[in-house]
């Protein structure tokens, strides 16, 4: 190394410029990794995914409407199976006049 003061000043200037760039980069990284930005990015990504799935689902229904109706009917019946069972189960119940309770069995139960 030489003892030339101009080389030392130039090296210090390069060091200061590098330090300034480094701190600027660190500031950008901290901003990107802040919890609010991470949450916003996650929400945007999820919204984009939901929109994509909805669009693909709509395209599938347009291309196969009968299959979509069958699937929807099946899901509806599965979800309403308790309610449907209650309706069908009431056919075989009669009221006991003495207690007012419902009992399963034939009419005229004693």
């Amino acid at each position: 190394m030489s003892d030339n003061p101009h080389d030392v000043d130039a090296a210090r200037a390069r060091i200061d410029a590098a330090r300034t760039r480094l701190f600027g980069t660190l500031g950008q990284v901290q901003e990107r990794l802040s919890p609010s930005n991470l949450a916003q990015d996650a929400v945007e990504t999820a919204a984009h995914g939901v929109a994509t799935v909805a669009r693909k689902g709509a395209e599938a229904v347009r291309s196969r409407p009968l299959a979509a109706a069958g699937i929807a009917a099946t899901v509806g019946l599965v979800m309403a199976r308790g309610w449907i069972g209650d309706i069908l189960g009431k056919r075989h119940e009669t009221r006991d006049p003495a207690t007012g309770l419902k009992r399963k069995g034939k009419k005229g139960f004693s």
Side-chain angles (χ1 to χ4, degrees):
M1 288 204 153
S2 65
D3 291 328
N4 187 350
H6 297 290
D7 289 340
V8 173
D9 291 338
R12 285 185 179 149
R14 285 193 307 270
I15 290 170
D16 288 340
R19 183 180 295 127
T20 302
R21 285 193 312 270
L22 176 64
F23 286 139
T25 302
L26 286 176
Q28 290 174 353
V29 169
Q30 284 179 335
E31 179 66 24
R32 284 185 180 179
L33 294 178
S34 71
S36 61
N37 283 341
L38 290 175
Q40 183 178 357
D41 289 345
V43 167
E44 289 173 0
T45 302
H48 179 68
V50 167
T52 301
V53 168
R55 185 173 19 86
K56 287 182 180 180
E59 291 171 5
V61 169
R62 282 189 205 109
S63 66
R64 295 181 190 95
L66 292 177
I71 290 170
T74 302
V75 169
L77 287 172
V78 167
M79 292 181 75
R81 68 184 181 269
W83 179 67
I84 293 170
D86 289 345
I87 290 173
L88 294 176
K90 288 182 182 179
R91 287 183 175 176
H92 304 293
E93 293 180 357
T94 58
R95 291 191 181 264
D96 183 6
T99 60
L101 299 176
K102 293 181 179 180
R103 295 186 186 238
K104 292 186 178 184
K106 298 179 184 176
K107 286 190 176 186
F109 177 80
S110 340

